[in-house]
Amino acid sequence: GSTTSIQFGFAGFFQKSLRRITPNDNFIKAGGSFLGGLASGVPCSVWELTMINQQRFGGSLLGTPIRIVQNHGMLNLFRGITMTLGREACFTLAMLALTPMIQQALVKKFPQLPSSTALAAGALSGAIFSATITHPMDTIKTCLQGDLAGHKYRNTIQTYSRLCSDAGGFTGLFKGLEW
């Protein structure tokens, strides 16, 4: 709900801004969507950090961030934020730009294709792409946000390395994707 609202709002703002500097519609859609997702990553990161820590330790919606600041400092409210920014930017790009582009390309290439089929194929393609491409960022972010003290996961690069070494390769970044 809230994250999607922010994504749509910021994507619209950035698309309107980009329209002033280029007539390229695909660039406007893609750039605005990417930037809208990037902007939504800031509050989303704090919301997800709160949710992860509520699940692990209990607490209220307001009490959990207060406890995090008291126990780990203000900066830890933004632990894992670079991964959240990347994930939300790529996801919003796929949802608001790539999906409609795929749908339009399908209708153009296969005019006999019902528009509902193109809509479904575009949505499914965009969803599979965004889920796959953003999964490593989400895995790293979740590990960082679940270990605020940094006992196992200290920073983004170390978390990446640890996940890869623990799983015997790059597949460690895709834990849970098959679910």
Side-chain angles (χ1 to χ4, degrees):
S2 300
T3 301
T4 304
S5 299
I6 292 170
Q7 289 166 341
F8 274 89
F10 274 113
F13 168 79
F14 287 118
Q15 286 173 358
K16 191 181 288 187
S17 299
L18 290 171
R19 202 167 298 289
R20 293 185 195 131
I21 60 172
T22 181
N24 184 320
D25 197 47
N26 285 338
F27 179 81
I28 292 166
K29 286 179 190 171
S33 298
F34 182 87
L35 292 171
L38 193 67
S40 76
V42 176
C44 183
S45 185
V46 177
W47 294 332
E48 289 180 9
L49 173 82
T50 300
M51 179 183 67
I52 289 166
N53 282 275
Q54 278 181 308
Q55 290 170 348
R56 293 196 66 214
F57 307 110
S60 68
L61 182 62
L62 296 176
T64 300
I66 291 169
R67 185 183 69 235
I68 290 169
V69 170
Q70 288 172 341
N71 295 341
H72 303 284
M74 180 68 105
L75 285 180
N76 262 337
L77 281 178
F78 301 100
R79 186 164 167 85
I81 194 168
T82 56
M83 293 292 99
T84 309
L85 294 173
R87 185 199 63 200
E88 292 303 314
C90 292
F91 175 81
T92 308
L93 169 68
M95 178 176 63
L96 299 181
L98 294 181
T99 295
M101 287 178 198
I102 292 168
Q103 292 164 341
Q104 291 167 357
L106 287 171
V107 168
K108 188 175 182 178
K109 185 165 177 114
F110 306 103
Q112 74 284 5
L113 189 68
S115 61
S116 59
T117 303
L119 179 69
L124 188 57
S125 299
I128 291 169
F129 171 78
S130 66
T132 304
I133 199 78
T134 63
H135 199 83
M137 290 180 271
D138 191 53
T139 300
I140 292 168
K141 174 211 67 87
T142 302
C143 289
L144 286 166
Q145 290 184 337
D147 181 17
L148 289 174
H151 295 300
K152 186 173 182 179
Y153 303 110
R154 293 186 302 275
N155 58 51
T156 301
I157 293 170
Q158 181 270 338
T159 302
Y160 166 86
S161 297
R162 177 141 193 181
L163 289 168
C164 289
S165 68
D166 287 354
F170 193 66
T171 58
L173 299 173
F174 290 92
K175 288 180 178 180
L177 181 65
E178 71 279 356
W179 187 87

